[in-house]
């Protein structure tokens, strides 16, 4: 069998960008044949990516790109927080954001088919899965193209915001973006809050009113009239709408005024915004580490 030297491992790693131990294994299996080792790695890393594809990706990063009146916000996911600090993973997210802005893909599938470094975005993603050993996915993106101004704010890599606004002072746009990241509004105004969220809040308020009525009966008190209960429910809904609509929220840098009042005072206006929070809405797998270790020990004993 041919001796596998450090120089050979280094050469194969430089050609494939695969982990060092994977390179050594491939060279050993190929008996030192570099071309065959490359082929072995392609097969192995492709298999690795395929196996990883079923695993939940609830961690990740948000990346933003703005050039003039064109911008994009993207969320790229992985399995663990450790990978979110990997330079190659971060570079992929940044590149994807730029590709979205420049190419205006219709959806994630169209984005994945775009060319990147002689491959497609999806092929680059799959190769990175093979290199790092974790599943990765491009979850979502939002593209802006406007005659107005765009500004972005990233809170670390987990929360990202892009704001489309008009006004002479760009700092106002930045302040609004930071406010959105902190207060997480769901719409510009109360009128734009999605109907399903309003209905959910009304249901919660109705349930609370019913519980209060049962409690009053149990204590021998007279429950409130249907009219008063209806007003209480409407009041709860109106309070909710103010809390989740940007213009009605108290401005984080001056809670004596609303965001709408701040914008008016600075002769500015916000036309739209998008906020991504990493993993939002993704159900994370809850691992029982002790049970997993016990299972591995039991399997080892049986072997």
């Amino acid at each position: 069998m041919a001796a596998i030297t450090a120089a050979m491992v280094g050469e194969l790693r430089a050609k494939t960008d695969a982990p060092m131990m994977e390179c050594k294994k491939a060279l050993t299996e190929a008996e030192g044949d570099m071309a065959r080792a490359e082929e072995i790695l392609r097969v192995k890393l492709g298999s690795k990516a395929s196996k990883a594809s079923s695993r939940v990706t609830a961690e990740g990063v948000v990346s933003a790109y703005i050039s003039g009146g064109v911008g994009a916000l993207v969320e790229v996911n992985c399995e663990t927080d450790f990978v979110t600090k990997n330079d190659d993973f971060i570079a992929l997210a940044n590149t994807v954001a730029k590709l979205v802005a420049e190419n205006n893909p219709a959806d994630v599938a169209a984005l994945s088919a775009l060319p990147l470094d002689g491959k497609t975005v999806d092929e680059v993603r799959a190769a990175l899965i093979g290199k790092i050993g974790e599943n990765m996915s491009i979850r979502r993106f939002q593209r802006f193209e406007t005659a107005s101004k765009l500004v972005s704010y990233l809170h670390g890599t987990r929360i990202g915001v892009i704001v489309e606004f008009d006004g002479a002072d760009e700092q106002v746009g930045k302040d609004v973006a930071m406010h959105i990241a902190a207060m997480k509004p769901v719409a510009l105004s109360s009128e734009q809050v999605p109907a399903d969220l309003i209905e959910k809040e009304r249901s919660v308020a109705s349930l609370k009113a019913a519980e209060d009525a049962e409690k009053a009966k149990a204590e021998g008190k007279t429950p409130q009239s249907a009219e008063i209960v209806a007003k209480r429910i409407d009041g709860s809904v109106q309070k909710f709408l103010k809390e989740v609509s940007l213009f009605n929220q108290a401005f984080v840098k001056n809670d004596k005024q609303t965001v709408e009042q701040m914008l008016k005072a600075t002769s500015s206006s916000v036309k739209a915004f998008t906020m991504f929070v990493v993993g939002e809405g993704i159900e994370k797998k809850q691992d029982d580490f002790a049970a997993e270790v016990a299972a591995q020990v039991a399997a080892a004993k049986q072997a």
Side-chain angles (χ1 to χ4, degrees):
M1 181 180 293
I4 308 303
T5 65
M8 292 169 66
V9 173
E11 182 183 349
L12 184 58
R13 178 173 168 75
K15 286 183 175 181
T16 63
D17 207 24
M20 194 168 294
M21 287 306 298
E22 294 289 346
C23 291
K24 185 174 181 181
K25 289 177 183 177
L27 282 165
T28 300
E29 185 177 339
E31 298 182 341
D33 186 320
M34 190 65 67
R36 187 179 161 208
E38 285 186 55
E39 183 62 30
I40 289 170
L41 277 177
R42 278 197 294 272
V43 173
K44 282 189 174 181
L45 296 185
S47 173
K48 203 177 204 180
S50 177
K51 288 176 182 177
S53 65
S54 63
R55 300 200 292 264
V56 176
T57 53
E59 298 296 336
V61 299
V62 176
S63 182
Y65 176 85
I66 293 175
S67 179
V70 178
L73 194 69
V74 302
E75 178 183 351
V76 181
N77 297 129
C78 55
E79 294 178 54
T80 66
D81 183 61
F82 178 77
V83 171
T84 65
K85 300 171 179 61
N86 179 278
D87 290 341
D88 291 334
F89 180 73
I90 294 171
L92 175 63
N94 292 338
T95 299
V96 166
K98 184 177 181 182
L99 285 172
V100 169
E102 293 178 343
N103 294 274
N104 192 20
D107 50 28
V108 172
L111 168 60
S112 298
L114 289 176
L116 176 60
D117 297 333
K119 303 177 182 177
T120 65
V121 170
D122 197 56
E123 287 171 341
V124 171
R125 179 191 66 87
L128 192 55
I129 291 174
K131 177 183 176 183
I132 296 178
E134 273 201 18
N135 191 19
M136 300 169 195
S137 62
I138 300 170
R139 183 187 182 195
R140 53 182 173 170
F141 65 81
Q142 181 64 50
R143 184 180 183 272
F144 289 79
E145 186 167 356
T146 178
S148 299
K149 296 179 180 178
L150 293 175
V151 65
S152 65
Y153 172 73
L154 296 177
H155 187 72
T157 57
R158 295 192 62 82
I159 301 175
V161 178
I162 285 186
V163 174
E164 179 184 355
F165 77 104
D166 288 315
D169 189 353
E170 190 164 323
Q171 186 59 46
V172 172
K174 293 179 179 178
D175 287 344
V176 171
M178 290 176 65
H179 171 98
I180 291 168
M183 302 306 293
K184 299 178 175 58
V186 300
L188 287 175
S189 64
S190 298
E191 293 75 22
Q192 295 178 13
V193 175
D196 61 325
L197 293 182
I198 297 175
E199 188 55 39
K200 181 180 179 181
E201 186 62 26
R202 187 174 295 279
S203 297
V204 171
S206 298
L207 181 60
K208 178 66 166 58
E211 290 175 348
D212 289 346
E214 289 297 323
K215 184 178 179 182
K217 287 180 182 179
E219 294 175 352
K221 299 177 182 178
T222 303
Q224 293 177 328
S225 67
E227 184 180 355
I228 292 176
V229 169
K231 287 182 178 179
R232 281 183 56 196
I233 293 172
D234 284 341
S236 295
V237 171
Q238 292 305 312
K239 181 174 181 288
F240 167 75
L241 290 174
K242 288 183 178 180
E243 289 174 345
V244 300
S245 55
L246 175 64
F247 294 153
N248 288 312
Q249 290 180 332
F251 184 39
V252 290
K253 294 183 74 172
N254 179 7
D255 60 8
K256 298 295 189 292
Q257 61 181 179
T258 64
V259 172
E260 186 173 37
Q261 290 169 337
M262 181 277 293
L263 291 170
K264 189 173 294 185
T266 57
S267 300
S268 306
S269 64
V270 173
K271 301 176 72 173
F273 74 87
T274 292
M275 177 184 68
F276 287 163
V277 179
V278 167
E280 187 176 39
I282 299 176
E283 184 177 350
K284 296 185 180 182
K285 179 183 177 183
Q286 300 297 319
D287 292 322
D288 186 337
F289 183 70
E292 185 178 336
V293 171
Q296 291 179 358
V297 170
K301 287 181 178 179
Q302 289 179 356

